[in-house]
């Protein structure tokens, strides 16, 4: 072989090696878990009660992933009731089969198991998981789910010296089955008995003076908004539910039901202990949970009064919410900057206005959306759609605009039809005198506007069409409205629900069917071979 031929051979081998290297780098990691769900007895508020444990832990194990990790999680149900977990904020790209709600999945029967298989595709950030079935969330079964960035994609802040996950939520001493029976009888839940941080009323976090730590704060409670603060320390907001934010400084943060936020805290004070405080917002009775931030060189306990909550209520909270802005130049989970998607220049294909209410239906309290109170059928909507099973749901069951006519609220399995790649405007209209919190599975969305009173098209002039953050759960203030914009680029059957669990359980939810006639694996994965069948789907064979 001549020199020229040898050069060609070397080039070929080098090219082959580089292709193989790219393929190896492109292979995303797989992480395997086995979780067993059981009951146990603990005393979170000092009174022994039955709680739900995962692998013996309360809260459940922390699920730490890296962007694009593939999760294979075998969930074994040792409870006396069917059970599901949902992955709050994980988009389940092309994969609503794994969403873990009753509209997509049959619940796992007692003494049985199901293996979830999903990917944290193109996501970073702070999320949670929790039970979606019955009122199991009131007994535990929730945990932190953190998705860390790949080394090749930078984050817009120095890597912190440590990382704390804080699961904050209201809690009842009453057993979850008794709470459920109360709702089934038409009664509302009472005000919660207490507030927990990581399943406790008091916790201690340790850090070194001069170092900076990330605090990942999630509201895992059933109903109440919370305010979070640390004595003597400022909170630098860096991320909300997968969005890198403009890094404003705050003395405290409101975190509403179902929401998450990440802040950086620098331990730049004199060496002692400092109070960590979470307290309920907008409630006549204020519940408080405290913790301690312990400097490693501290010789003094935390002292002085607890840091005060905000002196003002809803208008203060709205102003803070409007101050959360998208960092347009930061990369998210992909190499391109967040601001490269100019959402404000896209004309919505349709507008959906959803008005919540609390009607009596058949003499019992329910919650409704556009006068329709949702009920779960025995057959998951996703399976009914796949197997073409009639009579499970109708896309005409709910109107996309509220009706002011004399018609009364009623029960139905409500689904709003949408086409894949629609870009929709959704207005949450809250005419009640209570806080609302809305979550959408399968997506994040731009929260472009908050306001009080009745939404009208003229309110669009107040929208933030430049740097609104994306998130998966948005609050709506009493007698007010919140508008989101959603790019429906993820085919599937997706739950749009109240994150206030009493309201979700009694009907304040619906599904968005995002569909195209061009069936392709580039749009949606095949039905899983291990899919659980129930209801009328039992008559059909596994694929």
């Amino acid at each position: 072989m001549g020199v020229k031929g040898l050069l060609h051979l070397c080039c070929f081998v080098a090219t082959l090696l580089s292709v193989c290297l790219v393929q190896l780098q492109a292979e995303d990691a797989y992480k395997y878990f086995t979780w067993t769900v059981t009951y146990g007895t603990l005393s979170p508020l000092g009174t022994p009660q039955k709680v739900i444990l995962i692998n013996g832990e309360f809260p459940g194990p922390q699920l730490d992933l890296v962007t694009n990790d593939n999760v294979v999680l075998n969930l074994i149900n040792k409870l006396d009731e069917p059970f599901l977990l949902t992955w709050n904020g994980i988009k389940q790209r092309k994969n609503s089969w794994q969403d873990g709600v009753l509209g997509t999945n049959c619940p796992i029967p007692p003494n049985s198991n199901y293996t979830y298989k999903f990917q944290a595709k193109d996501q970073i950030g702070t999320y949670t998981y929790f039970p979606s079935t019955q009122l199991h969330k009131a007994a535990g079964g929730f945990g932190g789910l953190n998705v860390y960035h790949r080394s090749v994609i930078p984050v817009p802040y120095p890597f912190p010296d440590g990382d704390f996950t804080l699961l904050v939520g209201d809690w009842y001493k009453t057993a979850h089955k008794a709470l459920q029976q109360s709702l089934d009888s038409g009664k509302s839940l009472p005000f919660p008995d207490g507030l927990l941080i990581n399943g406790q009323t008091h916790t201690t976090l340790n850090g070194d003076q001069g170092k900076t730590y990330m605090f990942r704060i999630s509201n895992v409670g059933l109903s109440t908004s919370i305010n979070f603060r640390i004595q003597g320390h400022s909170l630098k907001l860096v991320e909300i539910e997968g969005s890198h934010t403009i890094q404003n400084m705050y003395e405290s943060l409101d975190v509403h039901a179902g929401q998450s936020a990440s802040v950086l805290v620098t331990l730049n004070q004199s060496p002692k202990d400092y109070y960590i405080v979470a307290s309920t917002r907008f409630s006549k009775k204020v519940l408080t949970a405290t913790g301690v931030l312990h400097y490693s060189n501290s010789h003094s306990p935390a002292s002085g009064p607890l840091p005060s909550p905000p002196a003002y209520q809803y208008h203060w909270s709205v102003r803070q919410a409007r101050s959360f802005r998208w960092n347009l130049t930061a990369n998210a989970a992909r190499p391109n900057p967040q601001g490269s998607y100019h959402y404000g220049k896209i004309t919505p294909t349709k507008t959906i206005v959803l008005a919540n209410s609390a009607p009596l239906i058949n003499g019992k309290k329910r919650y409704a959306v556009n006068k329709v109170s949702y009920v779960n059928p025995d057959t998951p909507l996703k399976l009914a759609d796949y197997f073409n099973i009639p009579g499970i749901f109708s896309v005409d069951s709910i109107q996309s605009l509220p009706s002011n006519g004399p018609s009364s609220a009623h029960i139905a399995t409500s689904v709003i039809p949408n086409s894949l790649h629609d870009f929709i405007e959704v207005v949450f209209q809250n005419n009640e005198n209570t806080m609302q919190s809305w979550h959408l599975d399968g997506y994040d969305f731009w929260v472009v506007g908050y306001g009080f009173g009745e939404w009208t098209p003229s309110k669009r002039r107040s929208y933030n069409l430049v740097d609104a953050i994306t998130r998966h759960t948005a609050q709506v203030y009493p007698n007010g409205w919140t508008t989101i914009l959603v790019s429906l680029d993820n085919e599937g059957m997706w739950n749009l629900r109240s994150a206030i669990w009493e309201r979700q359980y009694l009907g304040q939810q619906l599904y968005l069917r995002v569909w195209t006639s061009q069936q392709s694996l580039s749009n949606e994965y095949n039905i899983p071979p291990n899919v659980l069948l129930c209801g009328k789907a039992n008559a059909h064979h596994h694929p």
Side-chain angles (χ1 to χ4, degrees), residues 17 34 108 115 123-124 134 136 170 229 231 234 239 283 355 370 391 430 449 470 493 500:
L17 285 173
T34 298
I108 305 165
T115 299
Q123 290 188 256
I124 56 96
Q134 305 294 339
H136 292 136
D170 49 39
R229 51 207 183 269
Q231 183 183 32
S234 295
E239 178 257 334
S283 56
N370 291 0
N430 178 19
T470 59
M493 189 73 72
I500 298 171

Side-chain angles (χ1 to χ4, degrees), residues 66-79:
V66 175
T67 300
N68 292 351
D69 276 356
N70 294 280
V71 175
V72 181
L73 192 150
N74 180 26
L75 188 67
I76 302 169
N77 178 19
K78 291 295 184 179
L79 305 184

Side-chain angles (χ1 to χ4, degrees), residues 35 63 65 73 84-92 98-101 116 118-120 123-132 137 141-147 167-168 216-222 239-243 255-261 437-445 471-474 494-501 504:
W35 287 2
L63 194 58
L65 307 174
L73 192 150
L84 280 174
L85 286 179
T86 190
W87 316 95
N88 202 47
I90 298 301
K91 295 180 187 176
Q92 305 289 3
Q98 306 292 342
D99 199 30
V101 291
Y116 290 90
F118 62 88
Q119 186 180 26
Q123 290 188 256
I124 56 96
T126 300
Y127 307 100
T128 59
Y129 64 85
F130 61 82
S132 64
K137 188 179 182 184
F142 50 77
L145 197 170
N146 302 325
V147 184
L167 305 174
V168 185
R216 299 175 179 270
I217 308 149
S218 294
N219 186 336
V220 295
L222 295 183
E239 178 257 334
I240 290 178
E241 297 165 18
S243 269
V255 185
H256 305 279
Q259 294 184 343
S260 299
S437 187
W438 281 93
H439 171 86
L440 176 59
D441 282 351
Y443 293 94
D444 52 16
F445 45 71
R471 65 184 317 163
H472 57 65
T473 303
W494 301 109
N495 191 209
L496 178 59
R497 62 177 177 265
S498 174
I500 298 171
W501 215 240
Q504 180 274 155

Side-chain angles (χ1 to χ4, degrees), residues 326-331 334-343 446:
W326 223 16
N327 186 333
L328 298 179
T329 60
N331 299 326
R334 292 180 175 180
N336 49 306
Q338 293 180 146
S340 61
Y341 191 94
H342 301 289
Y343 68 93
W446 291 270

Side-chain angles (χ1 to χ4, degrees), residues 309-326:
Y312 300 99
Q313 300 293 315
Y314 299 119
H315 285 86
W316 183 97
S317 188
V318 170
R319 284 197 301 272
Q320 182 178 83
R322 288 173 177 158
S323 74
F324 301 158
R325 299 299 177 105
W326 223 16

Side-chain angles (χ1 to χ4, degrees), residues 12 19 24 46 48 97 127 219 265-266 289 372 423 504-505 513 524:
F12 173 76
V19 169
L24 286 172
W97 302 110
Y127 307 100
N219 186 336
V265 178
T266 300
V372 180
F423 188 85
Q504 180 274 155
Y505 179 77
R513 181 182 187 249
E524 185 173 35

Side-chain angles (χ1 to χ4, degrees), residues 58 79 113 160 243 253 276 325 396 421 510 512:
F58 172 80
L79 305 184
N113 74 297
S243 269
L253 279 181
I276 298 169
R325 299 299 177 105
D396 298 323
H421 302 304
L510 55 94
L512 299 183

Side-chain angles (χ1 to χ4, degrees), residues 421-483:
H421 302 304
D422 276 354
F423 188 85
I424 64 173
E425 175 188 38
V426 180
V427 180
F428 299 112
Q429 179 67 53
N430 178 19
N431 295 326
E432 298 181 68
N433 195 32
T434 58
M435 282 293 298
Q436 304 291 324
S437 187
W438 281 93
H439 171 86
L440 176 59
D441 282 351
Y443 293 94
D444 52 16
F445 45 71
W446 291 270
V447 187
V448 296
Y450 301 96
F452 291 98
E454 193 80 16
W455 179 88
T456 62
S458 65
K459 304 295 186 182
R460 291 179 178 132
R461 292 196 294 268
S462 68
Y463 287 180
N464 177 359
L465 298 180
V466 177
D467 60 356
I469 61 166
T470 59
R471 65 184 317 163
H472 57 65
T473 303
Q475 74 273 20
V476 191
Y477 293 92
N479 299 300
W481 55 269
T482 295
T483 299

